């Protein structure tokens, strides 16, 4: 069952890229004491994710900060090398890029997507959430093949 508003973010390890290479980071470290907007995509470099989803958050990053958001994070079931390359290609400075390579966090959230029919394996559903001090306050999960409620514009308007 998918996480709901009012529930705590589950504990899991994600990976970011640092100057030292892939760096594990706990979900507790990411969310504790902060207002975080996390959006997840089925895959880095995929069309909707690269053309619309990530760019919307890049373009509105300052607006999120002005609205009191401490961290805007993008997550995909990809490895940290792919997430880092995607970030560099997209110019996503200021967006925390999170790799959930084994889908551990995605499964803990109950938001996995079986994309084996598209030769992509297990992925994350397209979603966005707002968390305040580690508790989900808003959750926006897309219907299959849609891109509406998890867009930067929609999430910002619903903070």
């Amino acid at each position: 069952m998918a996480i709901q508003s009012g529930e705590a973010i589950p504990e899991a390890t994600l990976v970011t890229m640092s100057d030292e290479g892939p760096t594990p980071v706990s979900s507790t470290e990411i969310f504790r004491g902060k207002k975080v907007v996390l959006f997840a995509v089925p895959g880095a470099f995929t069309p909707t994710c690269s053309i619309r989803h990530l760019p919307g958050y890049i373009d509105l990053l300052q607006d999120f900060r002005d609205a009191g958001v401490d961290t805007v994070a993008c997550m995909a079931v990809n490895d940290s090398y792919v997430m880092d390359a995607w970030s560099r290609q997209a110019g996503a400075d200021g967006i925390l890029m999170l790799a959930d390579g084994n889908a551990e966090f995605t499964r803990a959230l109950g938001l996995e997507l079986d994309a084996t029919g598209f030769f992509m394996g297990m992925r994350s559903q397209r979603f966005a959430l707002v968390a305040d001090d580690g508790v989900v306050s808003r959750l926006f999960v897309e219907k299959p093949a849609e891109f509406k409620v998890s867009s930067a514009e929609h999430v910002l308007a619903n903070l």
Side-chain angles (χ1 to χ4, degrees):
M1 183 155 126
I3 195 163
Q4 300 294 312
S5 291
E7 294 182 350
I9 295 288
E11 178 58 34
T13 300
L14 297 144
V15 182
T16 63
M17 186 61 75
S18 71
D19 292 338
E20 291 78 42
T23 304
V25 60
S26 74
S27 55
T28 300
E29 183 180 339
I30 295 165
F31 290 93
R32 185 182 335 167
K34 300 175 206 153
K35 183 176 195 120
V36 177
V37 170
L38 170 70
F39 68 101
V41 299
F45 292 107
T46 57
T48 300
C49 305
S50 292
I51 296 167
R52 298 177 64 204
H53 212 168
L54 179 58
Y57 283 92
I58 294 168
D59 293 345
L60 295 176
L61 182 58
Q62 188 58 52
D63 295 305
F64 279 103
R65 289 183 175 150
D66 292 346
V69 173
D70 300 298
T71 304
V72 174
C74 174
M75 182 188 75
V77 179
N78 287 116
D79 64 65
S80 60
Y81 294 99
V82 169
M83 294 300 286
D84 183 55
W86 191 35
S87 175
R88 291 174 191 266
Q89 183 271 332
D93 297 334
I95 306 282
L96 178 62
M97 302 298 275
L98 298 170
D100 186 23
N102 295 328
E104 173 189 344
F105 187 55
T106 300
R107 278 193 303 276
L109 292 170
L111 292 168
E112 63 271 21
L113 168 70
D114 182 353
T116 55
F118 303 104
F119 305 100
M120 295 173 64
M122 292 305 291
R123 297 295 177 122
S124 173
Q125 292 183 50
R126 186 180 306 281
F127 72 88
L129 63 78
V130 180
D132 296 290
D133 193 20
V135 176
V136 176
S137 59
R138 302 291 307 231
L139 178 64
F140 308 97
V141 181
E142 296 288 358
K143 293 179 182 173
E146 285 192 0
F147 175 66
K148 296 177 184 176
V149 299
S150 67
S151 71
E153 297 81 4
H154 183 83
V155 174
L156 186 61
N158 285 279
L159 281 179

